[in-house]
Amino acid sequence: MLTPLKKSINRVVIAGGGTAGWLAASLLKKLLGQAIEITLVESEAIGTVGVGEATIPPIRLVNQVLGIDEAQFIHDTKATVKLAIRFENWKTKGECYYHTFGAPGRSMAFCHFHHYWVKARQQGLMNDLWDYDLNYLAAEAGKFAQINAKDPVLELPFAYHFDASLYAQYLRKLSEQMGVVRVEGKIARVQRCNDSGYIQALHLESGEVIDGDLFIDCTGFKGLLIEGALGAGYDDWSHLLPCDSALAVPSERHEKTAPYTRSIAHDAGWQWRIPLQHRNGNGHVYSSRYISDDQACDTLLSNLDTKPLGDPKLIKFTTGRRRKQWYKNVVAVGLSSGFLEPLESTSIHLIQSAIVRLIQLFPHNGVTKSLIDEYNKQSELEFEQIRDFLVLHYVVNERTDSAFFNDMRNITLPDSLAHKIELFKENGVLQREQNDLFLESSWLQVLYGQGVMPKDYHGLVNSVSDAQLNQMLTKLLELKREPIAKLPSHDDYINGMVAKYKRSMK
Ligand SMILES: Cc1cc2nc3c(=O)[nH]c(=O)nc-3n(C[C@H](O)[C@H](O)[C@H](O)COP(=O)(O)OP(=O)(O)OC[C@H]3O[C@@H](n4cnc5c(N)ncnc54)[C@H](O)[C@@H]3O)c2cc1C
């Protein structure tokens, strides 16, 4: 039985100073301001997980809210632009497709673009879906600029790749400037109230005691407060996403910096390549049931396209989510709240949305059961929706050369996902669940990219004559291609931003 904490919340203690800790500190301080005092405890000796360098477009909202200057951000975090993820070897070995942040075509009254395109393909059209996607065209051409067009189909939605440790430093500086107090030290003991079980204070090895009203657990996979002290429980989703290990290594940077993340499927998992200004980030995510750590390491190193800059770092994880992400007066944010592999770069986004949710449901006048229940309901749905989208990548594949991918085609799917795939296969219908982070265009690109072509298209398409359909597609093709020639190269854009920042500092 949960005992409500009937006291106002003024002192927030954040345990952990990785991306989660510093993002929580900066956003909470910025948005809740003087209403709360924030103390963050972190241990340099323990360090951070040190990965997490690819993001998705909502990160730009964080930067806006925090009032971050883009040129300075790109300069300080060695960031590059991300327009898409290029999935290689996922359908079959040798084939690739893009999941872009844009959308192929344009949506027409009540009917998504792909229905028109499917009909045209049935009539012999040769153009691929992505020929109608500006993000794809710019990614392939290695070009980028921010486009503020009146017509949203002519914009280039984008995110960033950045150096995770520089990003945490950047957020730390910002947080401290706003008044967040940082304490260096190792948490040795967590003190709880005998009656309510609520956390009262963190005892550091140094003897220092940090007490607070609300505690945010950002201590990484171990979940020192939420699990270590409170035992909130964990839902293990390894039966759906069996990868449980990753090896990460930086390598020398490429001369030309691609504006996309690469995800290259191997025999028992996949490898990322994230281009930064000063290096590439690489990692191999795999299932240890199918491949040993040594074999996985060989695979990673033999698939680097530039020289490694150190030894690979091994990280073990269990995919799933903390059963109660908010429990008593502790809210788990970041890796302590659960982990979904970085296939679609969603973890930093999950941090961002957890903090926004906490701010919306902030217990100014005390922790109540209804606030906790609402928070946990929303976060459970969010994790499940992202999980389903990740699982999709594994189950729709045509790889017959790998035991791992063969097995993944045959796993028992959550009903929600099985329904979605069937709906698309049979009817071409893409139904976005309420609040699903991934829009129809994302589901479309992965489904089609991995070989699922709908049997049918929507009847509304027949209200357009064949000649009109042809003309419409030709025009759209021209419209989407037209801006590409005028865009600078991605490297020129990044160099321009860095130079702009340096000029502003003179
Ligand atoms: C292989 C891999 C690849 C990833 N790639 C991406 C990606 O591309 N995009 C993305 O969005 N996300 C990615 N992620 C997730 C991303 O790395 C994390 O979401 C992000 O770094 C946040 O981590 P964190 O702050 O929760 O934990 P951590 O970085 O582990 O930080 C934990 C903090 O707690 C502190 N701490 C722990 N114990 C104590 C103690 N006893 N006393 C004091 N302090 C303590 C540590 O010192 C540290 O400051 C990836 C994750 C993995 C594993």
Side-chain angles (χ1 to χ4, degrees):
M1 178 69 186
L2 190 80
T3 325
L5 187 69
K6 290 256 191 285
K7 67 185 257 202
S8 55
I9 305 287
N10 308 112
R11 295 165 309 159
V12 173
V13 176
I14 299 174
T19 303
W22 285 115
L23 203 52
S26 53
L27 281 173
L28 286 170
K29 194 68 195 165
K30 180 80 187 185
L31 295 169
L32 298 179
Q34 300 314 315
I36 52 163
E37 283 169 22
I38 301 181
T39 306
L40 184 146
V41 192
E42 67 174 325
S43 158
E44 269 170 27
I46 294 175
T48 66
V49 71
V51 280
E53 308 197 313
T55 62
I56 56 175
I59 190 77
R60 296 184 53 221
L61 193 62
V62 170
N63 287 3
Q64 270 170 30
V65 168
L66 292 175
I68 289 173
D69 170 70
E70 198 195 15
Q72 183 185 1
F73 173 79
I74 287 178
H75 172 269
D76 285 8
T77 66
K78 304 272 185 212
T80 65
V81 165
K82 176 179 171 189
L83 292 170
I85 303 176
R86 180 181 150 114
F87 286 94
E88 303 169 25
N89 300 342
W90 280 85
K91 181 185 175 202
T92 61
K93 262 194 166 167
E95 286 192 73
C96 86
Y97 72 94
Y98 285 76
H99 170 201
T100 76
F101 298 138
R106 81 154 74 233
S107 253
M108 278 150 271
F110 308 113
C111 190
H112 287 120
F113 169 77
H114 68 274
H115 292 285
Y116 295 89
W117 175 78
V118 168
K119 179 172 181 185
R121 285 286 280 203
Q122 288 177 1
Q123 295 178 342
L125 177 82
M126 296 303 288
N127 289 113
D128 211 343
L129 194 59
W130 291 277
D131 291 338
Y132 303 89
D133 184 335
L134 193 54
N135 271 53
Y136 163 78
L137 296 169
E140 275 277 277
K143 292 188 158 196
F144 179 73
Q146 290 197 43
I147 305 176
N148 295 311
K150 278 198 191 119
D151 185 345
V153 300
L154 292 178
E155 290 194 345
L156 277 171
F158 70 99
Y160 301 104
H161 305 114
F162 49 60
D163 181 311
S165 55
L166 294 179
Y167 186 55
Q169 279 172 34
Y170 187 90
L171 294 173
R172 172 181 163 185
K173 201 162 119 194
L174 212 64
S175 305
E176 288 185 312
Q177 278 164 1
M178 289 188 284
V180 172
V181 175
R182 175 187 182 272
V183 177
E184 169 63 34
K186 216 169 180 177
I187 302 160
R189 188 168 74 80
V190 177
Q191 179 190 327
R192 296 175 64 187
C193 166
N194 286 339
D195 296 333
S196 66
Y198 279 62
I199 292 183
Q200 292 173 319
L202 306 181
H203 293 248
L204 307 192
E205 269 183 359
S206 62
E208 193 173 346
V209 178
I210 298 169
D211 45 18
D213 305 319
L214 184 73
F215 291 79
I216 304 186
D217 186 345
C218 299
T219 58
F221 286 125
K222 65 166 86 102
L224 196 66
L225 278 53
I226 195 84
E227 196 59 50
L230 299 186
Y234 196 78
D235 286 333
D236 182 337
W237 289 340
S238 334
H239 57 294
L240 296 170
L241 291 166
C243 287
D244 56 6
S245 312
L247 281 152
V249 70
S251 67
E252 286 177 354
R253 58 153 286 166
H254 265 264
E255 270 173 37
K256 239 178 106 189
T257 333
Y260 52 83
T261 307
R262 281 175 71 195
S263 164
I264 308 143
H266 291 316
D267 289 344
W270 60 279
Q271 179 165 339
W272 77 75
R273 197 199 70 182
I274 296 174
L276 305 176
Q277 288 173 41
H278 56 316
R279 60 167 171 80
N280 287 329
N282 309 275
H284 184 189
V285 175
Y286 56 95
S287 168
S288 61
R289 265 197 280 143
Y290 294 83
I291 192 175
S292 70
D293 294 340
D294 285 344
Q295 287 169 313
C297 191
D298 290 344
T299 305
L300 171 66
L301 294 176
S302 58
N303 283 285
L304 294 182
D305 37 21
T306 53
K307 223 171 108 195
L309 293 171
D311 293 327
K313 176 183 172 186
L314 179 65
I315 302 165
K316 293 282 173 185
F317 54 83
T318 306
T319 294
R321 65 178 289 278
R322 194 71 56 201
R323 205 163 290 140
K324 294 170 194 153
Q325 294 185 333
W326 182 347
Y327 188 37
K328 297 185 186 282
N329 61 338
V330 176
V331 182
V333 175
L335 297 174
S336 66
S337 70
F339 185 62
L340 293 166
E341 61 177 76
L343 189 55
E344 286 284 353
S345 323
T346 42
S347 287
I348 295 173
H349 176 77
L350 282 167
I351 296 172
Q352 169 183 347
S353 74
I355 300 161
V356 169
R357 183 173 306 124
L358 177 60
I359 290 170
Q360 282 166 348
L361 298 170
F362 198 81
H364 289 283
N365 298 317
V367 173
T368 63
K369 184 174 181 306
S370 56
L371 284 174
I372 295 180
D373 288 350
E374 183 58 30
Y375 182 95
N376 286 335
K377 186 178 84 182
Q378 289 182 23
S379 60
E380 182 177 2
L381 181 65
E382 183 176 43
F383 261 74
E384 284 177 358
Q385 287 174 336
I386 295 175
R387 175 202 66 194
D388 281 5
F389 189 58
L390 300 189
V391 175
L392 174 74
H393 297 63
Y394 286 101
V395 293
V396 291
N397 79 75
E398 296 176 7
R399 293 268 309 253
T400 50
D401 59 304
S402 130
F404 172 76
F405 279 101
N406 280 338
D407 289 350
M408 286 310 293
R409 273 197 305 279
N410 296 310
I411 60 166
T412 306
L413 296 183
D415 290 346
S416 46
L417 178 58
H419 169 69
K420 258 190 166 150
I421 297 175
E422 208 43 40
L423 197 62
F424 181 72
K425 267 189 189 162
E426 292 286 322
N427 318 284
V429 172
L430 290 164
Q431 198 63 41
R432 179 176 176 243
E433 303 279 323
Q434 207 184 4
N435 295 330
D436 190 349
L437 172 65
F438 292 101
L439 304 180
E440 290 88 345
S441 59
S442 292
W443 284 85
L444 170 68
Q445 293 179 69
V446 176
L447 279 159
Y448 172 64
Q450 295 198 189
V452 184
M453 186 72 168
K455 284 191 200 139
D456 208 353
Y457 54 84
H458 199 287
L460 265 176
V461 174
N462 293 327
S463 64
V464 174
S465 72
D466 290 353
Q468 282 171 322
L469 177 64
N470 195 15
Q471 194 189 30
M472 180 190 95
L473 289 173
T474 309
K475 261 196 172 160
L476 204 47
L477 209 58
E478 285 165 10
L479 191 72
K480 296 265 183 164
R481 278 184 189 155
E482 206 256 341
I484 297 296
K486 296 181 206 140
L487 291 176
S489 77
H490 175 226
D491 280 318
D492 284 349
Y493 177 81
I494 295 295
N495 293 338
M497 293 301 270
V498 170
K500 182 178 164 193
Y501 173 67
K502 285 184 176 162
R503 273 197 310 275
S504 75
M505 294 307 288
K506 278 187 188 153

